[in-house]
Each structure stands twice: as C-alpha cells, then as structure tokens.
Amino acid sequence: MRSNQLGNIIGLIVAAVILGVFVWRLPINGWGSLLWFGAMVGMGIIRVPHERQSKTVETASSKQDNIENVLLFGVSLGSAILPALQLLTGWLSFANYSVPSFWPFLGLLFALPGLWLFRRSHVDLGENWSVTLEIRSEHGLVTNGVYNKIRHPMYSAIFLLYAGQAIFIHNWIAGLSGLFAFGLMYIVRTPIEEAMMKEQFGQAYDDYCIRTGRLVPKMGS
C-alpha cells in the first residue's frame, strides 16, 4: 500500500472518530460544532489537490523563514487545534457563552461564500499557488477571475470562514482564535507578499494595485 493511500485511510479514520465524538457531545456543543467540522473538511477537500500540485512546481524564490513558520503554526492552532480540543473535551468551557439555538446557522452566511471563494481562488491561481511566500519559476501575474477586482481573495475567503468559526463555536477563546491568528498573519505577511510581487512584476503590479482592493473591490473600480 502506498504511503499516500495509508495516509488517506488514517485521515478518514481520525475524521470519523472526531465526528463521532462531536455527535456525542452535540447537546453540549450545539449544532455549530458540526457546521464548523463541515467547513474545515470542506477547506481540506479544496486545498489538498493544490498542495500536491504545488510540490511538483519549481520554486524560483521564497520568503519562508522562522517568522512565517510561527505565523503558519499560529493559524493552525487558532483555526483547528484549539477549536477541536474545546469541542472534543470542553477544556475551555470556562469561556463559553450562551446563544439562541438558531445562532450557529448564521455562521453559514459567512462559511458558504467563504468556501466558494476559497475554491475559486485556488482554481484561478493554478500552479502559482503555494502555502508559503514563494515565487514560482514560471510565475505569472494572475488578474483574471476573482483576482480581477481583489488582490487577495483567498485571504478574504479565510476571513469569512474564520468569522463563521466565531459564530459556530460559542466560546470566546476557541471561537475567536482563528480570526485573531489569521488577522495577525495577514498584517505581517501581506506587505512582504506585495513587495515580492512588485519586485517580480514591476509596473504591471503597481497598475494592478491601483485598480484593485486587497480584500474587497475598490469603490468605483
């Protein structure tokens, strides 16, 4: 059996066990726990093929350093580890707050558009996508699709998804940790990323920045 097949089987078993515990703890965590789990699985299904493709594409330059690695770990901690531990064990229950029974479903207003934009961003980037700050050997300036009006639609999507997390999980720490961690990463990473793009594409990128917004389209553009 190939290692990737074994990894897929183990991943499915772990996911099934976690889902079983979430169902068992449904009276404690509420429906939001299942909606959060579904959103996380959706993100994984979208991203995994692109991660595999990314490993086959040659990198020309990279800005991955210790700070970038810490920020990536922080996002994993805030968006997956802390929420999962809370929903599985209730170890952060001191920070719980009460919500109406319909409240978690409001998170779908953020998560569903977020998942659509997350997928579209990966598709439109194609082989240019990477999880870290990298320029590919044949990197092109993508200005089509969802990148036509927004420079960082994938970041917009992630903000939407983590806003959904804040609604799905009625806990001040586990619910908001994804937004906090990714917000910090966005503040630190975005100027570095845009400087890389300017260095690579020069005036073409400057012109692109003039007519686009970072997370939402510019008014009147």
Side-chain angles (χ1 to χ4, degrees):
M1 183 180 295
R2 295 179 179 178
S3 59
N4 61 339
Q5 292 178 324
L6 179 60
N8 290 339
I9 293 173
I10 293 174
L12 288 173
I13 293 173
V14 171
V17 170
I18 291 175
L19 179 60
V21 176
F22 280 5
V23 172
W24 176 57
R25 289 179 56 84
L26 195 61
I28 300 172
N29 295 326
W31 283 102
S33 59
L34 297 185
L35 297 176
W36 173 81
F37 182 78
M40 292 297 294
V41 170
M43 289 180 72
I45 291 173
I46 291 168
R47 173 154 284 186
V48 165
H50 296 276
E51 285 186 337
R52 290 175 178 169
Q53 181 189 51
S54 178
K55 294 176 181 178
T56 67
V57 181
E58 185 179 349
T59 299
S61 63
S62 174
K63 293 290 186 181
Q64 185 174 6
D65 54 18
N66 290 335
I67 294 177
E68 171 80 356
N69 291 333
V70 169
L71 291 170
L72 286 169
F73 174 75
V75 172
S76 296
L77 182 67
S79 66
I81 298 173
L82 285 180
L85 287 176
Q86 162 58 18
L87 295 174
L88 290 169
T89 68
W91 75 302
L92 295 173
S93 58
F94 65 87
N96 283 352
Y97 57 90
S98 299
V99 295
S101 58
F102 68 85
W103 180 258
F105 293 98
L106 296 178
L108 293 175
L109 298 177
F110 296 91
L112 292 179
L115 283 171
W116 177 86
L117 187 55
F118 191 69
R119 176 185 176 277
R120 194 67 254 169
S121 300
H122 281 82
V123 171
D124 288 343
L125 270 183
E127 293 186 350
N128 293 314
W129 177 81
S130 63
V131 72
T132 60
L133 295 176
E134 295 179 343
I135 296 291
R136 301 307 194 178
S137 58
E138 298 183 6
H139 205 110
L141 179 58
V142 178
T143 61
N144 62 292
V146 292
Y147 289 86
N148 185 45
K149 299 291 185 180
I150 309 173
R151 296 198 295 280
H152 304 286
M154 195 173 301
Y155 293 169
S156 303
I158 294 171
F159 272 121
L160 286 171
L161 286 159
Y162 293 165
Q165 173 184 320
I167 298 174
F168 293 147
I169 303 175
H170 49 96
N171 181 278
W172 291 112
I173 298 174
L176 293 171
S177 56
L179 273 176
F180 177 81
F182 186 72
L184 178 61
M185 182 176 191
Y186 172 80
I187 291 170
V188 174
R189 174 192 265 200
T190 305
I192 301 172
E193 182 174 353
E194 294 196 345
M196 290 178 66
M197 299 295 285
K198 178 177 173 57
E199 181 180 355
Q200 180 74 11
F201 298 108
Q203 187 61 43
Y205 189 72
D206 286 339
D207 294 341
Y208 176 62
C209 289
I210 290 172
R211 67 177 181 82
T212 58
R214 277 182 169 173
L215 296 176
V216 297
K218 277 188 175 179
M219 296 296 293
S221 63

